Amino acid sequence: MAQDDYYELLGVEKGVDADALKKAYRKKAVQYHPDKNPGNKEAEEMFKKVSHAYEVLSDPEKRAAYDRYGAAAFEGGGGVPRGPAGGGFHDPRDIFSQVFGQQGGGFGDIFGEMFGGSGRDGRDGSDLRYDLEITLEEAARGVEKEISFRKLVTCERCDGGGAEPGSKRVTCPTCRGAGQVRRSGGIIVFTQTCPTCQGSGEKIEKPCTACRGEGRIAKNTKLNVRIPPGVDTGSRLRSAGNGEAGSAGGEAGDLYIVLAVKNHELFERQGDDLFCEIPIKFTLATLGGSIEVPTLFGKAALKIPAATQSGTTFRLREKGMPSLRGSRQGDQLVRVHVEVPQSLSTEQRKLLEEFARISGDASEPTSKSFFDKAKKFF
């Protein structure tokens, strides 16, 4: 069977530089990653191939050997992709650790954003994401919510060890406790993680009947979450240790609660400020007075000056959203719209007609200031 061309696998030319090679590999690794293609054996196989191709081509000495001798210098015993000497890439997370771990931001940040992984030791549990929707009132005051989700927890029967009670762990017969095995590929000898014990150097004599040796089982979990005042859509809360349990004594992952605040029928949020529109009677706008307006924290008095125009915006200090940064509270902006009565009684109509006559509105229905500005167009 013809061997895959490493350059073609990564979609690059033979003379590609290191930065372009890494960029091409990241794209392919994301495309074929098992976490994005669950149960897809073809994608899993492609992920292994592109990972091995990058491992070879990113090393100047191995790349030179490949360019001269081809893939035969790096594969043997069935053509299974090997990792670098002293390790191997059997866990896909190891690959991302090698590629991203020493770049700015770190492996945990990049891998966690793409797939929700924890980025810690191979035995550590995965981080989890929970999307939670709350009301604007809850975001303003803070609230405690009970959430329910399913996750992997430590098996109670074997206490996470994976062995049936009364059984024990024995030295791995494949690597004899070393955790690594040596493979020969022509003139080159590689060391890789033992495929039997996955590097632990031990093998379970009799797997636990509850978890089948995994040390973890899936279980529905309930958790009380305290949401602080001032959160907004996209706010992310971290609950340390409430992700999935680790295997073989590994640390548990974290739970990230990602919030979404529902739209409100009255208020619109603008950062820490709140905005609302309120209709007022034209008599109030003309004569002035005081009204009560709703806020997220109760009612507040708002003074309307005489001759208030429709569209005027007033500010209620510190009636907006609390700030997550601990600084002053936001304001509430209130825009008023002057309502024109849709029906008038006979007496109301007579009084308004008299008002229009006294004011001269009948002869000048348009504002004089507007007419002066508009004269230049006629």
Side-chain angles (χ1 to χ4, degrees), residues 264-279:
H264 198 275
E265 60 181 355
L266 181 60
F267 298 107
E268 179 183 335
R269 184 171 182 174
Q270 299 175 352
D272 289 338
D273 293 336
L274 294 175
F275 176 85
C276 69
E277 296 185 352
I278 296 178

Side-chain angles (χ1 to χ4, degrees), residues 139-191:
R141 298 185 180 95
V143 67
E144 187 170 296
K145 291 279 190 178
E146 182 182 75
I147 62 176
S148 179
F149 56 100
R150 193 168 180 82
K151 69 173 183 177
L152 291 175
V153 300
T154 300
C155 176
E156 295 180 357
R157 181 174 179 83
C158 66
D159 198 26
E164 183 71 10
S167 180
K168 60 182 180 180
R169 289 178 173 269
V170 297
T171 301
C172 175
T174 302
C175 65
R176 299 180 182 180
Q180 297 178 334
V181 293
R182 296 168 66 84
R183 302 292 295 269
S184 176
I187 61 173
I188 302 175
V189 178
F190 296 95
T191 302

Side-chain angles (χ1 to χ4, degrees), residues 282-283 339-353:
F282 83 101
T283 51
E339 282 189 332
V340 176
Q342 297 182 1
S343 62
L344 297 172
S345 67
T346 302
E347 184 179 2
Q348 289 173 330
R349 186 174 186 84
K350 287 181 178 180
L351 290 173
L352 279 177
E353 287 175 347

Side-chain angles (χ1 to χ4, degrees), residues 74-289:
F74 302 97
E75 295 185 350
V80 180
R82 307 289 188 271
F89 287 146
H90 281 270
D91 187 340
R93 299 174 191 274
D94 292 340
I95 300 170
F96 280 86
S97 179
Q98 290 285 340
V99 177
F100 302 126
Q102 297 181 12
Q103 304 299 319
F107 154 59
D109 294 337
I110 297 174
F111 192 86
E113 286 296 323
M114 290 191 293
F115 308 111
S118 65
R120 294 181 290 269
D121 185 88
R123 298 176 299 177
D124 291 347
S126 298
D127 292 341
L128 296 178
R129 169 177 173 149
Y130 187 95
D131 293 318
L132 179 62
E133 189 176 54
I134 61 174
T135 65
L136 185 61
E137 288 84 354
E138 290 171 334
R141 298 185 180 95
V143 67
E144 187 170 296
K145 291 279 190 178
E146 182 182 75
I147 62 176
S148 179
F149 56 100
R150 193 168 180 82
K151 69 173 183 177
L152 291 175
V153 300
T154 300
C155 176
E156 295 180 357
R157 181 174 179 83
C158 66
D159 198 26
E164 183 71 10
S167 180
K168 60 182 180 180
R169 289 178 173 269
V170 297
T171 301
C172 175
T174 302
C175 65
R176 299 180 182 180
Q180 297 178 334
V181 293
R182 296 168 66 84
R183 302 292 295 269
S184 176
I187 61 173
I188 302 175
V189 178
F190 296 95
T191 302
Q192 69 179 84
T193 302
C194 175
T196 302
C197 66
Q198 300 300 315
S200 67
E202 297 178 327
K203 182 182 178 182
I204 298 174
E205 188 177 53
K206 186 178 181 182
C208 172
T209 55
C211 64
R212 300 181 181 180
E214 171 66 19
R216 303 176 295 178
I217 57 174
K219 185 177 180 180
N220 290 327
T221 304
K222 291 184 177 180
L223 182 68
N224 288 325
V225 179
R226 179 64 189 171
I227 300 170
V231 295
D232 200 355
T233 295
S235 293
R236 190 173 73 161
L237 308 177
R238 174 174 173 262
S239 182
N242 279 312
E244 292 192 331
S247 61
E251 293 183 4
D254 299 330
L255 173 66
Y256 290 91
I257 300 98
V258 181
L259 301 174
V261 180
K262 297 178 183 178
N263 292 330
H264 198 275
E265 60 181 355
L266 181 60
F267 298 107
E268 179 183 335
R269 184 171 182 174
Q270 299 175 352
D272 289 338
D273 293 336
L274 294 175
F275 176 85
C276 69
E277 296 185 352
I278 296 178
I280 62 174
K281 301 294 185 181
F282 83 101
T283 51
L284 174 63
T286 303
L287 302 175

